[in-house]
Amino acid sequence: MRWSRYFLFTTREVPADADVVSHQLMSRTGMIKKLAAGIYIYQPLGWRSLKKTIEIVRREMDEAGAIELAMPSIQPAVLWHETGRWEKYGKELLRIQDRHDREFCFGPTHEEVITDLVRGEIKSYRQLPVNLYQIQTKFRDEIRPRFGLMRGREFLMKDAYSFDVDRDGMGASYEAMRDAYQRIFEGCKLDFTVVEADSGTIGGEYSHEFMVLADTGESQVVSCPECNYAANVERAEASCEQADDEPAAEREELATPGAKTIDEVTALLDIDAAKLVKTLLYEADGEVVAVAVRGDHEVNEVKLQNHLAALQLHLAGDAAVEKATGAPVGFAGPVGLADGVRLISDRAIEGLCNFVVGANLADTHLGGVNWGRDAQPDAFVDLRVVAGGDACPRCGHALRETRGIETGHTFQLGALYSEPMGCTYTDGSGETHPMLMGCYGLGVGRTLAAAIEQNHDDDGIIWPLPLAPFEVLLASLNAKDDAVRGACDSLYESLCAVGVEVLYDDRDERPGVKFNDADLLGIPVRIVLGGRGLANGQAELSLRRDREKHDVALESVVERTTELLRELS
Ligand code: ATP
Ligand code: MG
């Protein structure tokens, strides 16, 4: 592609809302252009990389035996009523009406549509298993669309859905997809990890996330260097804590005037935060619930919401706290809560003795508190956020904490959708059963953005070869000089002739501009030719990754370039 004829305009300007590097660089390289919040035009350069990502995904999905189809973006509400998700999905679902006032949505995901299709076509166990996928545009009315393609409102997703007769079959389909995802991210040459995940609004029983590792990732991941346990912190299990072995002391009131925070209370009473129990009040679907965790631990709201099976969960307001505790905010505790306020405690404090809690009384705490005698929660459950340094729940080794970008998510759904939608098959003896499903999402645009988050420097993108919009950037340093132009033209044609994807910077620009743009675009191999090089019969080859320059005889450039590309692939 000759740059002078291409639709490619780089800029130094960074959009005001571009907080992350992939968004900045995709905008500056002219890969994407914002049309509205979270809605982007994929400009030609961006579309080339997206198509490459799509092709890697498609290759591995086909290889794994999944079958491609294409479903509509617009979906009728009636299907969503069947699963109850029309109400449950909330504001991320873009709801629309046609001229007859019939309700539709712009699909954020396609479980309902695919289940409707399969229940109509498949009747017998003989026709199963089947795994169908598409690569298609989704719309989610994200509350905070940001980070460019990383969290758009309109975005490209690969979504696959498997249907099986039994759990073994579902497990095998799931494993096949996990392997395919593994190969996809390897194929993209990205550094990634697979973690146990929470199932979120899609629901289901068993799920994994594929995380591209990057310091700028929104997700926190803990992993065990010893036994390979890895999980999203939303989901990561805490290991069991040891029990204190002390005789129970007398309970006593402790004056803590003005001390509300953990730091203030521990400093004033000269105790360890691990001996303090903090009590937080939440509102779960309208019910006020008290939640107790160790002073140095944090409540994991995803775990809490799952435990309570609540649709809505948030911290209770001051008035609700005062009503439940009879005290101003900051002195809540498990002893003497108002009637009807449920108390749930984190498992880590089950074995604690003689601990300190808020007294439900202004400026006061209680010391020497013990479970059973002074208070008793409804349940001890794992409710805390696991962090780096905590013990691995499998082997006890210290966990490591990293950040990642969730680019793929796989779920075992079981009969979650097939049961309410009547997606059944008949077995050998004529009995009907719901099919067991899996669903597998992969964000195409997010994968590309994650690749940039992981592979860039101060000057621009450093594309892994499989995702690069072009393999080679050829820059002529004196485009006006006939001899140089002629030599570059002929190099360009020779490279194209052997199937190399070349962006040929034939613009009439100063070398400095061309070098800066080359660094910004991050195309893996760079070939530079100017008057001096031509006089010596040499071009300069370099890799974007290390920028080390090598002079190569003109007649060997094509051969050396194809060698380099082989090494990079
Ligand atoms: P998140 O927690 O980031 O909102 P999710 O759990 O809602 O993600 P899924 O419903 O599992 O995501 O969607 C499958 C994949 O689609 C995700 O792994 C991600 O790669 C991609 N994806 C989800 N939401 C967006 C978005 N707003 N913009 C771009 N890609 C997205
Ligand atoms: Mg989401």
Side-chain angles (χ1 to χ4, degrees):
M1 178 62 62
R2 287 171 181 272
W3 193 324
S4 62
R5 310 243 177 96
Y6 200 34
F7 192 87
L8 170 56
F9 313 101
T10 59
T11 169
R12 284 169 182 277
E13 267 162 54
V14 177
D17 63 343
D19 298 329
V20 296
V21 87
S22 58
H23 188 188
Q24 293 165 0
L25 290 174
M26 280 181 139
S27 302
R28 288 188 55 206
T29 51
M31 298 186 87
I32 58 169
K33 187 81 157 194
K34 181 161 120 183
L35 185 64
I39 302 179
Y40 291 88
I41 296 168
Y42 306 132
Q43 299 196 92
L45 189 76
W47 184 236
R48 285 185 71 98
S49 281
L50 281 166
K51 279 197 297 187
K52 291 202 171 174
T53 319
I54 289 171
E55 282 317 316
I56 294 168
V57 172
R58 179 173 281 133
R59 181 182 75 209
E60 296 304 340
M61 295 305 288
D62 291 345
E63 176 71 28
I67 307 163
E68 187 169 2
L69 83 172
M71 290 181 268
S73 299
I74 306 294
Q75 308 182 6
V78 284
L79 290 179
W80 287 69
H81 284 304
E82 285 190 44
T83 58
R85 282 213 292 183
W86 189 256
E87 288 73 37
K88 248 192 260 168
Y89 210 90
K91 291 194 169 175
E92 263 187 34
L93 191 63
L94 180 68
R95 295 152 212 257
I96 42 188
Q97 282 182 346
D98 70 4
R99 62 169 74 196
H100 306 293
D101 293 335
R102 280 188 289 248
E103 290 200 285
F104 292 84
C105 64
F106 197 112
T109 177
H110 279 68
E111 284 80 11
E112 281 80 0
V113 177
I114 197 82
T115 307
D116 179 54
L117 176 73
V118 170
R119 74 178 163 186
E121 300 299 328
I122 290 187
K123 303 291 174 205
S124 157
Y125 70 97
R126 287 193 201 90
Q127 299 163 289
L128 292 169
V130 67
N131 185 343
L132 297 162
Y133 82 97
Q134 62 174 350
I135 298 170
Q136 187 249 15
T137 299
K138 301 279 186 268
F139 193 93
R140 295 183 182 180
D141 205 352
E142 298 276 354
I143 182 166
R144 273 184 299 163
R146 55 194 175 147
F147 304 161
L149 298 195
M150 198 100 85
R151 186 170 295 284
R153 292 198 295 168
E154 188 179 300
F155 59 95
L156 271 173
M157 194 202 285
K158 186 286 298 169
D159 43 329
Y161 305 89
S162 63
F163 295 82
D164 276 275
V165 293
D166 56 22
R167 303 201 73 81
D168 284 353
M170 176 172 71
S173 296
Y174 189 85
E175 292 310 322
M177 283 296 101
R178 254 189 29 184
D179 291 349
Y181 272 43
Q182 195 96 20
R183 288 195 305 271
I184 288 169
F185 294 111
E186 281 163 11
C188 293
K189 292 220 169 279
L190 295 176
D191 193 8
F192 68 98
T193 181
V194 191
V195 302
E196 289 183 11
D198 184 72
S199 302
T201 50
I202 300 231
E205 305 165 2
Y206 185 59
S207 118
H208 288 89
E209 283 168 349
F210 288 72
M211 298 278 185
V212 171
L213 300 175
D215 298 339
T216 48
E218 275 189 292
S219 304
Q220 267 169 293
V221 174
V222 285
S223 56
C224 176
E226 200 62 28
C227 74
N228 284 336
Y229 172 79
N232 190 325
V233 290
E234 282 182 357
R235 144 93 186 212
E237 293 162 46
S239 62
C240 283
E241 313 283 335
Q242 288 190 344
D244 284 348
D245 190 15
E246 302 170 15
E250 291 272 305
R251 192 173 89 198
E252 53 176 343
E253 274 194 12
L254 306 167
T256 50
K260 295 178 177 184
T261 65
I262 300 298
D263 287 348
E264 287 164 354
V265 177
T266 50
L268 188 72
L269 300 177
D270 191 23
I271 54 167
D272 199 271
K275 272 293 199 188
L276 182 69
V277 166
K278 63 180 169 190
T279 307
L280 296 151
L281 287 125
Y282 280 90
E283 243 180 85
D285 295 340
E287 181 198 346
V288 174
V289 181
V291 178
V293 292
R294 221 166 74 179
D296 55 341
H297 289 163
E298 298 302 326
V299 176
N300 179 328
E301 294 186 356
V302 175
K303 288 182 183 173
L304 179 61
Q305 185 163 8
N306 287 344
H307 173 73
L308 296 170
L311 294 177
Q312 305 283 338
L313 179 83
H314 56 84
L315 277 169
D318 291 1
V321 173
E322 283 166 26
K323 191 162 166 227
T325 64
V329 174
F331 299 95
V335 184
L337 285 165
D339 279 350
V341 175
R342 250 203 293 173
L343 172 68
I344 301 165
S345 291
D346 180 45
R347 225 172 41 195
I349 56 176
E350 187 169 7
L352 222 53
C353 297
N354 304 329
F355 47 93
V356 173
V357 299
N360 295 325
L361 201 62
D363 297 331
T364 316
H365 279 73
L366 297 175
V369 175
N370 287 280
W371 296 122
R373 186 189 70 191
D374 302 309
Q376 194 57 30
D378 254 30
F380 286 104
V381 279
D382 177 11
L383 285 180
R384 75 177 175 95
V385 177
V386 172
D390 285 353
C392 169
R394 300 275 189 277
C395 76
H397 198 276
L399 291 169
R400 197 170 50 200
E401 195 170 330
T402 42
R403 298 196 78 87
I405 298 163
E406 178 211 317
T407 46
H409 204 166
T410 56
F411 301 85
Q412 281 194 9
L413 296 170
L416 196 70
Y417 293 89
S418 50
E419 181 98 60
M421 291 189 71
C423 179
T424 58
Y425 70 93
T426 328
D427 67 16
S429 52
E431 269 184 58
T432 58
H433 309 273
M435 296 178 203
L436 298 184
M437 292 173 58
C439 80
Y440 318 94
L442 188 148
V444 176
R446 190 182 284 184
T447 299
L448 200 61
I452 297 177
E453 293 293 333
Q454 194 177 79
N455 300 280
H456 68 271
D457 62 15
D458 290 345
D459 299 319
I461 304 172
I462 306 174
W463 282 114
L465 182 67
L467 304 181
F470 291 92
E471 296 168 315
V472 169
L473 182 103
L474 167 65
S476 70
L477 290 193
N478 314 70
K480 276 195 184 139
D481 180 311
D482 284 347
V484 172
R485 199 179 53 239
C488 283
D489 283 359
S490 104
L491 256 185
Y492 173 60
E493 276 149 29
S494 311
L495 286 163
C496 291
V498 294
V500 175
E501 297 171 18
V502 189
L503 177 63
Y504 174 18
D505 190 353
D506 60 343
R507 296 172 303 165
D508 182 15
E509 291 283 1
R510 283 180 292 110
V513 171
K514 295 195 175 195
F515 289 139
N516 285 345
D517 274 345
D519 283 344
L520 182 66
L521 295 187
I523 293 169
V525 177
R526 180 164 93 184
I527 306 172
V528 175
L529 183 57
R532 198 172 335 135
L534 186 59
N536 295 332
Q538 286 178 328
E540 187 188 277
L541 260 67
S542 60
L543 295 185
R544 173 64 178 88
R545 199 165 278 282
D546 61 15
R547 290 194 272 207
E548 213 174 292
K549 292 168 185 153
H550 304 275
D551 290 325
V552 176
L554 280 178
E555 58 277 14
S556 310
V557 168
V558 173
E559 196 193 332
R560 187 69 197 117
T561 303
T562 48
E563 265 171 33
L564 281 174
L565 292 174
R566 256 198 310 278
E567 284 164 22
L568 289 173
S569 64

